[in-house]
Amino acid sequence: MKRFAAAAWLLALLSVPCAAGLTPDSAASEAPFSFEKGHVLVQAKIKSDVPVEVILSTGSEHSLIDSALLRKYKLPAYYSAEAPITGRNDRLYSFSTVPEVRVGGVKETSLSMRFGSMADVSSRVGREVFGILGVDFFKGRVVQFDFAKKVVRFLPQSPPDALKGAGPAGGAATRIVLPMRFYKERVTLPIIDDVAFDGKKIKTLLDTGTVTVVSLSSSAGKQLGLSPLPEKAAPRADKVGTLLLDAYEIKDVPVLLFARGSQFDRDQKEFGAVAGSILLQNFAVTFDFNKKVVILERP
């Protein structure tokens, strides 16, 4: 019995989440999405032909599944430890291997999706939301969010002239090309260095899965002189005079300022700000996870 338990523990440690099909898709495809309560929701398939609805989040390192739905969809549950695995005080997490995940006509991808709860989101939109597709699904792909047409496109490569950028037109850049910052050894998130709030550069995550215009950590708020900082309670609404994305300027931008020690503060260690879906909806946004750039274009 002890030998079996030890073997099961070793198997769990070796069950590190992985994703297949991490190369760009060979042909372009697209799928409509709905934009509800700030969430980018799209119809997907799991197990090749089982329909589910998911949120697309370019800022989530891991895809998530609502653990309450495992039995309904007959999916297994596993646990493993965060790397590096030492065998002592390892941090464990639970996940399910979800086979043959796809959106539109993209290649099917088997994902190890971590457990979470989608109950609040499902309640807000009034129907079941299966989970979140994150960067482990987008890795190696080129995905374009056309908010004007409510379509997400998966492209074999970035549009031909997109990576060249564009000069000023009528006093403002119409296309901005922003390099993604390296995040972890095997993961690149769309963290952008060239973002300035009131003239001060703050590393900013571009996340279609966060319902906000801009959220700021307490350290970013302090850097911008947005005092007093909120206490450990709800974030405080504030405003910055200018937001500069490379050469594109947005004025009078509402922000949410989080308290020191809040969950938001604890989670955001590699960046000080998150530009979410409410801001990104003003652009056609291409995330090229192959060439590691984000392209923002005004309609």
Side-chain angles (χ1 to χ4, degrees):
M1 186 68 179
K2 289 183 179 180
R3 182 177 298 175
F4 175 80
W9 167 249
L10 179 59
L11 178 62
L13 292 181
L14 293 176
S15 300
V16 178
C18 60
L22 298 181
T23 56
D25 298 287
S26 58
S29 67
E30 65 178 41
F33 67 78
S34 61
F35 192 52
E36 301 175 51
K37 308 294 184 181
H39 299 290
V40 178
L41 291 152
V42 67
Q43 295 294 324
K45 296 286 183 68
I46 63 171
K47 297 183 173 181
S48 186
D49 60 357
V50 178
V52 295
E53 191 166 18
V54 296
I55 290 173
L56 300 181
S57 175
T58 56
S60 296
E61 180 180 353
H62 306 285
S63 294
L64 301 177
I65 179 177
D66 189 333
S67 57
L69 299 176
L70 291 178
R71 179 173 295 182
K72 176 179 177 178
Y73 291 98
K74 299 179 181 179
L75 292 167
Y78 305 107
Y79 67 93
S80 188
E82 297 279 6
I85 298 171
T86 65
R88 293 187 302 172
N89 301 319
D90 290 315
R91 182 180 176 184
L92 300 179
Y93 62 89
S94 299
F95 66 96
S96 180
T97 301
V98 183
E100 301 170 315
V101 181
R102 64 183 171 90
V103 174
V106 302
K107 298 175 184 176
E108 293 178 342
T109 301
S110 291
L111 287 176
S112 292
M113 301 178 69
R114 299 197 178 196
F115 288 180
S117 174
M118 305 302 296
D120 288 345
V121 177
S122 296
S123 177
R124 282 195 295 272
V125 301
R127 59 186 183 277
E128 177 186 289
V129 177
F130 177 80
I132 296 172
L133 295 184
V135 174
D136 49 359
F137 178 77
F138 296 124
K139 186 176 179 181
R141 287 184 158 132
V142 181
V143 56
Q144 182 181 75
F145 293 81
D146 188 334
F147 282 92
K149 295 182 178 180
K150 301 294 189 296
V151 168
V152 58
R153 301 184 182 95
F154 293 87
L155 308 171
Q157 60 184 9
S158 290
D161 295 329
L163 295 178
K164 296 179 180 179
T174 55
R175 182 189 302 133
I176 313 113
V177 180
L178 303 167
M180 296 184 191
R181 165 174 278 271
F182 175 83
Y183 180 61
K184 289 183 179 180
E185 183 178 355
R186 297 178 61 188
V187 178
T188 299
L189 292 178
I191 300 170
I192 310 301
D193 283 333
D194 203 6
V195 180
F197 297 84
D198 288 341
K200 297 180 179 179
K201 285 194 174 183
I202 295 174
K203 295 173 188 174
T204 301
L205 175 70
L206 305 185
D207 185 13
T208 59
T210 298
V211 182
T212 187
V213 180
V214 174
S215 293
L216 296 173
S217 66
S218 61
S219 59
K222 184 177 180 180
Q223 184 180 344
L224 295 172
L226 299 177
S227 59
L229 294 176
E231 301 296 332
K232 292 184 179 180
R236 191 185 81 234
D238 212 311
K239 184 180 288 188
V240 295
T242 60
L243 166 59
L244 198 62
L245 295 161
D246 190 28
Y248 188 85
E249 183 180 78
I250 308 173
K251 294 185 177 181
D252 298 324
V253 179
V255 299
L256 281 179
L257 179 59
F258 282 79
R260 183 177 180 181
S262 64
Q263 186 64 50
F264 180 89
D265 243 31
R266 293 194 296 272
D267 289 344
Q268 322 311 329
K269 298 187 183 301
E270 300 292 329
F271 45 90
V274 176
S277 61
I278 309 302
L279 177 71
L280 296 176
Q281 69 174 319
N282 296 296
F283 301 90
V285 192
T286 302
F287 296 86
D288 188 334
F289 287 96
N290 185 28
K291 294 184 177 177
K292 315 300 185 188
V293 295
V294 180
I295 304 155
L296 299 175
E297 297 177 274
R298 289 289 290 177

